[in-house]
Amino acid sequence: MLQDFGQMALIHIISHLFFIGVAWWAIQSLNFGKFIRAGRVIQARLLMILLSIVIGSTVSNFFLDYLTWSKQLPYIFQ
């Protein structure tokens, strides 16, 4: 039982890190140059990091919820 919790924790960590990385990669394709004020590059970079954390965590939670629900689906027929 406790081993299942450890495995799920590892899956959650890997999933979150993966989707945060994918979100960061996708955000890199946007041109934020038009919206950045002069001398505010560090703040713009921080905003991009925070956006990728928010987007990546949201997408990861969606997929993890979907995984959990699909595992619980067989219990409908019991």
Side-chain angles (χ1 to χ4, degrees), residues 15-57:
S15 174
H16 275 70
L17 290 176
F18 173 75
F19 283 110
I20 288 171
V22 169
W24 172 257
W25 175 72
I27 287 175
Q28 293 294 315
S29 68
L30 297 175
N31 184 9
F32 282 108
K34 298 176 185 177
F35 304 110
I36 299 173
R37 293 195 324 209
R40 305 289 183 165
V41 176
I42 295 174
Q43 291 171 334
R45 194 60 75 158
L46 179 62
L47 178 63
M48 290 171 61
I49 291 170
L50 293 175
L51 276 174
S52 45
I53 290 171
V54 168
I55 293 170
S57 295

Side-chain angles (χ1 to χ4, degrees), residues 1-2 13 15-16 43 66 73:
M1 180 75 170
L2 290 177
I13 290 170
S15 174
H16 275 70
Q43 291 171 334
Y66 192 82
L73 204 54

